[in-house]
Amino acid sequence: VCSSDLPCFWTPEMPHLYDVHLEIKSGAEVLNTHDQQIGIRRLGVRGRDLLLEGRRTVLRAVRVESLEGQLSDVEQLLSACRAAPAALLVENPSDELCRQASQRGVLLIAIVKAMRADVAALLHRLSQWAAVAIAVLPTRFTDPMIDRPRNLLLAQHLPEGGATDTADWADVAFVDSANVETLAHHA
């Protein structure tokens, strides 16, 4: 329940979004405008725990290799994730997918596939969307994130059988594994 004095937070159960209209003016002249939907999400890390709305949570995710299909396929996938409930794990999600997931209440975990020079711009684009909770960066990514978005958790991809230490910039480790022992080591 939201009060008029406090914002309504975006959660998968209640994906509250706000329409924002920004204008840059010089005197009476409007120089630029920008319209966007935003959501305020409370997702973070404390110690070894992932917290959503202040409660420890374990994200389950469905990985999709490609979303080049019809719009109805995307809608069915988002409906299935919402019903499960499960996050959607997808490589470099489009703004349209991020918009739909934000409106439908489906968390997205974005696998970042970009040239090193383009990573910061991609992270900032993804951070605009309430649904995008985590961005997974490759293990080899070692640069400090000087200008990292504060509302986006960064995960370091640790391949099964590979490196086991997470980088200083990583909020969480992402282990792509069906091996329960490997998962327990990183939990």
Side-chain angles (χ1 to χ4, degrees):
V1 178
C2 297
S3 121
S4 61
D5 298 337
L6 299 172
C8 296
F9 292 100
W10 186 98
T11 67
E13 295 80 24
M14 295 189 305
H16 293 284
L17 295 171
Y18 293 91
D19 292 320
V20 176
H21 176 76
L22 301 171
E23 291 184 349
I24 298 175
K25 291 183 174 184
S26 177
E29 180 186 0
V30 176
L31 301 175
N32 200 351
T33 64
H34 181 73
D35 294 303
Q36 183 173 335
Q37 279 192 327
I38 65 166
I40 305 166
R41 184 185 66 244
R42 294 191 296 185
L43 178 72
V45 175
R46 182 178 31 197
R48 296 174 67 106
D49 293 333
L50 180 63
L51 304 176
L52 179 60
E53 293 298 303
R55 295 183 307 268
R56 184 179 181 277
T57 189
V58 175
L59 287 182
R60 291 178 284 175
V62 174
R63 185 175 188 150
V64 177
E65 294 300 324
S66 173
L67 288 174
E68 299 298 321
Q70 300 293 326
L71 181 61
S72 62
D73 295 339
V74 173
E75 290 173 358
Q76 286 179 333
L77 180 61
L78 292 173
S79 293
C81 286
R82 183 159 165 85
L88 182 59
L89 180 65
V90 64
E91 185 177 308
N92 296 345
S94 68
D95 283 343
E96 180 59 20
L97 176 61
C98 293
R99 182 190 65 75
Q100 287 184 39
S102 293
Q103 290 175 343
R104 303 279 299 271
V106 176
L107 281 171
L108 294 179
I109 300 172
I111 299 173
V112 173
K113 298 281 184 159
M115 300 298 291
R116 187 175 304 275
D118 300 328
V119 169
L122 179 57
L123 291 177
H124 282 283
R125 179 181 67 80
L126 294 172
S127 73
Q128 296 177 43
W129 300 102
V132 182
I134 299 172
V136 181
L137 298 175
T139 300
R140 71 181 186 284
F141 191 79
T142 57
D143 294 337
M145 295 299 296
I146 295 168
D147 191 27
R148 78 180 266 182
R150 293 179 182 234
N151 64 330
L152 186 62
L153 294 177
L154 298 181
Q156 181 180 7
H157 182 222
L158 300 176
E160 186 173 7
T164 59
D165 295 329
T166 55
D168 291 339
W169 54 262
D171 298 307
V172 295
F174 176 79
V175 180
D176 202 0
S177 175
N179 182 338
V180 176
E181 291 177 18
T182 301
L183 293 174
H185 176 72
H186 293 285

